[in-house]
């Protein structure tokens, strides 16, 4: 099982998390996807990161960053207006 008290992933703030469960890997095992409010960059652009915790049938693996908007293509996101469905 993963916990967020490590030097690689840093600390997570529960108030910055929106989570949903489902089989996102197509393995027949439950996974969790987390949309994380990553704050703002120096220009004030809203940053959002999507992490996947892949399930292996008995536990969840360490989260993997599967998407973020920290580039020039996806622009600024308002985390407070975003919902996972």
């Amino acid at each position: 099982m993963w916990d967020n008290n490590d030097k690689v992933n840093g600390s997570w703030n529960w108030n910055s998390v929106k989570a949903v469960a489902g089989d996102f890997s197509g393995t027949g095992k439950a996974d969790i996807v987390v949309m994380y409010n990553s704050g703002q960059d120096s220009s004030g652009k809203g940053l959002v990161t999507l992490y996947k915790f892949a399930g292996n049938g008995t536990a969840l693996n360490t989260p993997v960053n599967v998407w973020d908007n920290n580039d020039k293509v996806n622009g600024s996101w308002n985390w407070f207006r975003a919902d996972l469905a």
Side-chain angles (χ1 to χ4, degrees):
M1 186 61 147
W2 173 83
D3 76 43
N4 74 332
N5 190 17
D6 63 53
K7 294 179 180 166
V8 175
N9 296 297
S11 179
W12 286 36
N13 179 342
W14 182 249
N15 293 327
S16 294
V17 170
K18 294 181 182 181
V20 65
D23 180 12
F24 303 107
S25 301
T27 61
K29 312 287 186 209
D31 307 313
I32 295 178
V33 169
V34 170
M35 182 184 302
Y36 193 78
N37 180 357
S38 298
Q40 295 181 335
D41 68 10
S42 60
S43 70
K45 175 179 141 181
L47 301 175
V48 174
T49 307
L50 195 67
Y51 294 94
K52 181 175 75 173
F53 295 77
N56 61 25
T58 58
L60 296 171
N61 295 325
T62 301
V64 175
N65 177 340
V66 294
W67 177 87
D68 65 47
N69 72 316
N70 194 11
D71 60 38
K72 295 182 179 9
V73 176
N74 293 303
S76 183
W77 281 55
N78 184 335
W79 181 85
F80 296 99
R81 297 183 72 187
D83 289 318
L84 294 173

